[in-house]
């Protein structure tokens, strides 16, 4: 049976309006739902240097409301963007609390220069740490994607713009909002399955036996040697003195042999972590002024011991009409944070993520007696086992469970951001706004290795301390003219902007501590290193925009901006960037109205060019030098060639879109096509090393990104007691290099070539295992004497031929979100996904050795290794002789297709009768989860990896379940 109210109930559009318990806010005034008319709502979005009505805007912009951000237990707002905006790819390559997601808008815009978007907070470009912005303070996020939307930001917006608008006080009664939550985190994806102790000993016996046979020892003698040498090779016998040789000459564990312990290192190196968050804000306002003040606290423990992120934040935002012709405002924020970040991004023995995976469970983390009981010290305490007996591959003389609590791995930051503006109204249609913004970041890194335990004992402990200071400020002066003439409307904008950036850093190290538990450099005797430098950057800009519409049907816009960057020589310093756009509101035409089908139908198109100067150096056109000590005498060596002809990289963006709404706005959508071409690419052109330089920076090549974006917003059901919304967004992407200075360029595991993408894997092709002998096989491509191409195979990795193996970039990304309200209950969820692309899993190779790494943990897949009884397999025969089979090849290249239940939230708002007497306006309790489920074929690997698709022992994503309450007074 169909509810008659489904299509007859009052339509609410959750855009500018904020929906809550029957009340809608429109332009700062509250009205009841039954008095709200459809024409009262036209979504207003925040765009470059102002606001615009979305239905008539000529640019491409997507918005995220605060409801979709505040309900996420994320430390950094970049991690809340994935799956929310078509055309935006947010990749959280690390689950380390406090880490930032890599964000790309409409593909990869450059090869050597930055492809990061510009962040704008309350109208001013932001240079602080994005971690400092509390999700609780955010009112909305706008993502500007095409030239018409972002060209006014010139070179700074070449890779798209993310505009963050913070909350302001609203006219009416003052309010106090309180939000407290307690959460618990664990791994979002279970680690790779491994063999158990019994299986490991039998498998390593086999590797030893095969290694001896490979050295021309008779099989029977090799079996006996493997039995005799197994315990010595692994350095330990977990089966006790009664089984001195636990594996017999048949390769099987002796009857009755049982491991006396099974110490999973994850039990001491990882944990179920806690997450605590408290947010409190005060807001209010009257006819002439408003205020917003917030306090925030976050303590997010990591799943790895001694990791986490703690933050204290505050924000004060004031706006006041001091005169009828003058508005003033200030927005001040300060954040103090400390990130505990033990190493988690390479294959060293200090990487806690890598070590947790790579040590088998038969190596104990506490010392054991021969009978398996714990060995205790004089105080009856367990003694950490540093494994002096362990092979090098099993991290000999190391135990992070013992040393990390004594070490320091701290990153401390103080972030201050201040914004102020004066808004003059000369005439109702003529306004001038002058603003100033400053971002100050002070960073202190403190890395200490203790002298008591672990590898630091060899040098008496060590300490490295660094400090950096980043100051940037932007001044902006904008004049606007907005006037209606009958059926004509014109908006003009002109202005000037100046940006200054300076960075200073200093660092030093010392070693040999005479006393333990003293962490500062002054407590160490031996000076190691000392360095420091400063950088500066300036950008002067002039900008202008014109917008015109006729009869609220036909809209055209144009903008131009001139930027002068100090990165380039005076001759090439200025870049001119521009855009043109138009839209046609078809739904206002009689021939569309007569169809009685569309509530909204708008066709838009834009084209424009923007620049990019974001190289890794601030002195791109100048020659640079390094200074050395040569036998006590100072020396100078050129490190970079001068490039005075270097100029702006340019992005040319085409956008065509169609926006529609039908069924009384219950179904709304948007379809867009984009073509983004980057030319004069800022590129490191290689040179022969014999010339003394590895390369030089030049403008070479072109790059193209094309794709389609689709978003759909639906309200299948809405009545007085029940409301259900479902939103879907999809994006396709094709990245293509269209021009290079030479035929192709090899960069690590990637090949840059015309027709390919910037992230094409160029690695040997895995053929399989030779069924006759168990050796690995790779593909070879050679040319015979007749010039014909000949394909073959080889067991020698060095002879394998590299080939293009596909790209790390996905073909389709998207998200599906839903929200349900039934009376006082609410539920929301977000499922994100990506289709296509590949991931090179280097993490997996560390537990897939053929037996040449004694004591290194083994994947459960090793059980399927080649044997004479199992010749048809993809895992080579085991042996202590190196065969290079885990070297980079397509064998460890996996599909990057996955789906993840990114967020699920369930809440209940108590009826007002329960708390009205206490003066509460709202009281809600909720439970929410992040990264609850991951659907992926290659078990063990977190599919959310870096943009280039290469894993490198990174901190895994965390699954977080949070309980909380929200109260409004």
């Amino acid at each position: 049976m169909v509810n008659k109210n489904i299509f007859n109930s009052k339509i609410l559009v959750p855009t500018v309006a904020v929906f809550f318990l029957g009340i809608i806010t429109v332009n700062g005034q509250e009205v009841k739902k039954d008095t709200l008319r459809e024409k009262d709502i036209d979504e207003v979005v925040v765009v470059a240097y102002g606001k615009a009505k979305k239905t008539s805007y000529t640019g491409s912009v997507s918005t995220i409301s605060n409801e979709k951000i505040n309900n996420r237990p994320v430390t950094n707002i970049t991690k809340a963007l994935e799956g929310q905006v078509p055309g935006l790819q947010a990749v959280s390559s690390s689950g380390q609390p406090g880490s930032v997601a890599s964000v790309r808008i409409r593909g990869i815009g450059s090869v050597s220069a930055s492809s990061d978007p510009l962040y704008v907070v309350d109208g001013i470009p932001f240079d602080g740490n994005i971690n400092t912005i509390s999700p609780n303070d955010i009112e909305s996020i706008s993502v500007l994607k095409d030239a018409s939307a972002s060209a006014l930001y010139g070179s700074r917006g070449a890779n798209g713009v993310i505009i963050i608008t913070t909350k302001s006080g609203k006219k009416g009664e003052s309010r106090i909002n309180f939000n407290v939550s307690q959460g618990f985190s664990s791994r979002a994806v279970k680690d790779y399955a491994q063999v158990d102790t019994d299986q490991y000993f039998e498998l390593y016996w086999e590797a030893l036996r095969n290694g001896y046979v490979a050295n021309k020892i008779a099989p029977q003698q090799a079996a006996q040697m493997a039995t005799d040498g197994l315990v010595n090779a692994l350095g330990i016998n977990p089966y006790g003195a009664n089984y001195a040789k636990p594996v017999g000459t048949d390769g099987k564990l002796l009857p009755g042999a049982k491991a006396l312990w099974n110490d999973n290192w994850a039990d001491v190196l990882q944990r179920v972590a806690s997450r605590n968050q408290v947010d409190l804000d005060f807001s209010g306002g009257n006819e002439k002024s408003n205020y917003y003040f917030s306090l925030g606290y976050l303590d997010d423990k990591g799943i790895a011991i001694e990791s986490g992120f703690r933050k204290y934040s505050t924000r004060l935002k004031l706006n006041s009409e001091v005169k009828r012709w003058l508005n003033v405002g200030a927005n001040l924020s300060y954040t103090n944070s400390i990130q505990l970040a033990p190493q988690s991004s390479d294959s060293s023995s200090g990487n806690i993520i890598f070590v947790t995976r790579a040590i088998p469970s038969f190596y104990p983390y506490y010392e054991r007696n021969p009978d398996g009981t714990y060995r205790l010290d004089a105080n009856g305490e367990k003694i950490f086992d540093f494994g002096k007996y362990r092979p090098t591959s099993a991290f000999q003389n190391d135990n992070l469970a013992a040393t990390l609590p004594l070490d320091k791995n701290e990153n401390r930051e103080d972030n201050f951001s201040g914004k102020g503006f004066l808004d003059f109204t000369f005439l109702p249609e003529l306004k001038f706004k002058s603003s100033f913004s400053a971002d100050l970041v002070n960073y202190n890194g403190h890395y200490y290795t203790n002298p008591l335990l672990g590898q630091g004992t060899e040098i008496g402990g060590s300490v490295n301390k660094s400090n950096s200071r980043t100051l940037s400020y932007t001044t902006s002066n904008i004049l606007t003219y907005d006037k209606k003439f009958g059926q004509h409307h014109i908006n003009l904008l002109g202005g000037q902007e100046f940006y200054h950036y300076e960075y200073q850093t200093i660092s030093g190290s010392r070693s040999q501590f005479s006393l333990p538990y003293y962490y500062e450099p002054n407590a160490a005797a031996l000076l190691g290193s000392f360095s420091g430098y400063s950088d500066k950057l300036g950008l002067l800009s002039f900008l202008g925009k014109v917008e015109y519409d006729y009869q609220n049907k036909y809209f055209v816009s144009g903008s131009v901006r001139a930027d002068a960057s100090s990165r380039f020589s005076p001759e090439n310093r200025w870049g001119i960037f521009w855009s043109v756009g138009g839209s046609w509101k078809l739904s206002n035409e009689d021939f569309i109205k007569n169809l009685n089908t569309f509530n909204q139908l708008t066709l838009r198109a834009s084209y424009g060019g923007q620049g990019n100067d974001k190289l890794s150096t601030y002195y791109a056109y100048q020659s640079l030098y390094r200074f050395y000590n040569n036998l006590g005498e100072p020396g100078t060596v050129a490190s970079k060639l001068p490039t005075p002809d270097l100029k702006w990289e340019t992005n040319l963006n085409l956008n065509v879109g169609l926006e529609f709404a039908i069924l009384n706005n219950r179904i709304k959508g948007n379809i867009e096509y984009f073509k983004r071409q980057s030319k004069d690419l800022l590129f490191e052109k290689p040179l022969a090393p014999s010339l003394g330089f590895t390369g030089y920076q030049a403008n070479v090549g072109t790059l193209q990104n094309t794709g389609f974006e689709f978003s759909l917003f639906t309200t299948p059901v809405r009545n007085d007691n029940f409301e259900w919304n479902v939103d879907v967004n999809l994006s396709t992407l094709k990245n293509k290099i269209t021009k290079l200075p030479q035929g192709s360029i090899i960069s690590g595991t990637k090949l840059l070539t015309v027709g390919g993408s910037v992230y094409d894997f160029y690695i040997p092709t895995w053929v399989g295992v030779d069924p006759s002998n168990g050796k690995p096989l790779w593909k070879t491509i050679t040319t015979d004497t007749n010039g014909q191409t000949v394909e073959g195979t080889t067991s020698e990795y060095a002879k394998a031929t590299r080939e293009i193996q596909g790209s790390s970039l996905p073909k389709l990304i998207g998200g599906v979100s839903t929200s349900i309200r039934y009376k006082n209950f609410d539920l929301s969820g977000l499922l994100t996904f990506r289709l296509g692309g590949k991931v090179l899993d280097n993490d997996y190779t560390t537990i897939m050795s053929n037996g040449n790494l004694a004591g290194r943990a083994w994947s459960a897949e090793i059980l399927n290794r080649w044997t004479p009884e199992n010749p048809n397999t993809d895992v080579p025969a085991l042996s202590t002789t190196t065969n290079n089979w885990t070297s980079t090849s397509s064998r460890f290249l996996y599909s990057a297709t996955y789906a993840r239940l990114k967020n699920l939230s369930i809440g209940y708002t108590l009826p007002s009768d329960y708390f009205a007497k206490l003066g509460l306006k709202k009281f809600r309790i909720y439970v929410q989860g992040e990264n609850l489920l991951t659907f992926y074929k290659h078990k063990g690997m977190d599919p959310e990896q870096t943009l280039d698709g290469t894993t490198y022992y990174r901190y895994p994503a965390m699954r977080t379940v949070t309980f909380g309450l929200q109260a409004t007074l």
Side-chain angles (χ1 to χ4, degrees), residues 614-631:
K614 298 180 182 66
L615 288 161
S616 59
T617 175
Y618 296 99
Y619 313 101
Y621 72 97
Q622 296 176 321
S623 56
L624 300 180
Y625 301 87
R626 289 193 180 98
F627 301 93
Y628 293 90
N629 184 329
N630 184 17
L631 300 177

Side-chain angles (χ1 to χ4, degrees), residues 587-637:
S587 51
N588 283 359
E589 299 285 3
D590 291 338
F591 67 90
I592 296 295
K593 290 181 179 179
N594 294 336
L595 296 175
N596 292 321
T597 301
F598 294 98
N599 304 108
Q600 172 62 33
L601 187 63
T602 301
L603 179 66
R604 63 171 57 92
S606 67
Y607 187 69
Q610 296 161 277
N612 191 355
D613 68 338
K614 298 180 182 66
L615 288 161
S616 59
T617 175
Y618 296 99
Y619 313 101
Y621 72 97
Q622 296 176 321
S623 56
L624 300 180
Y625 301 87
R626 289 193 180 98
F627 301 93
Y628 293 90
N629 184 329
N630 184 17
L631 300 177
E633 296 294 329
T636 305
V637 178

